[in-house]
Amino acid sequence: RSRRFFVDIKDGKIKFISEIPDTSPDISGSVKEDGSFLIICKDINGNEKQYKSSDFGKNFEPIN
């Protein structure tokens, strides 16, 4: 399993934003112009879960 974090790196300093709510080994995603994120998580059996963040990655909610 993997843990993934959203961080902001500014002036060489890292600021924690949030953690992706899934530990699947295969995670992909996209960012829209309005700042929303869509994260797609696939486990080793091919099961897929999707999460959306509408606040620049601070909070995620499952969408399937």
Side-chain angles (χ1 to χ4, degrees):
R1 294 286 184 200
S2 301
R3 292 179 69 188
R4 292 176 173 92
F5 302 97
F6 278 93
V7 298
D8 182 27
I9 301 173
K10 192 174 198 177
D11 298 326
K13 296 182 181 178
I14 298 174
K15 178 183 172 186
F16 174 81
I17 297 172
S18 69
E19 182 177 346
I20 294 176
D22 200 295
T23 59
S24 294
D26 183 11
I27 294 181
S28 61
S30 61
V31 180
K32 302 199 178 199
E33 287 184 25
D34 65 0
S36 63
F37 292 89
L38 174 65
I39 304 293
I40 302 166
C41 305
K42 292 182 185 176
D43 67 17
I44 59 172
N45 297 313
N47 299 313
E48 186 176 290
K49 293 181 185 175
Q50 295 183 15
Y51 300 91
K52 182 179 179 182
S53 173
S54 298
D55 57 4
F56 298 95
K58 293 179 184 171
N59 298 286
F60 289 90
E61 59 185 60
I63 58 172
N64 65 340

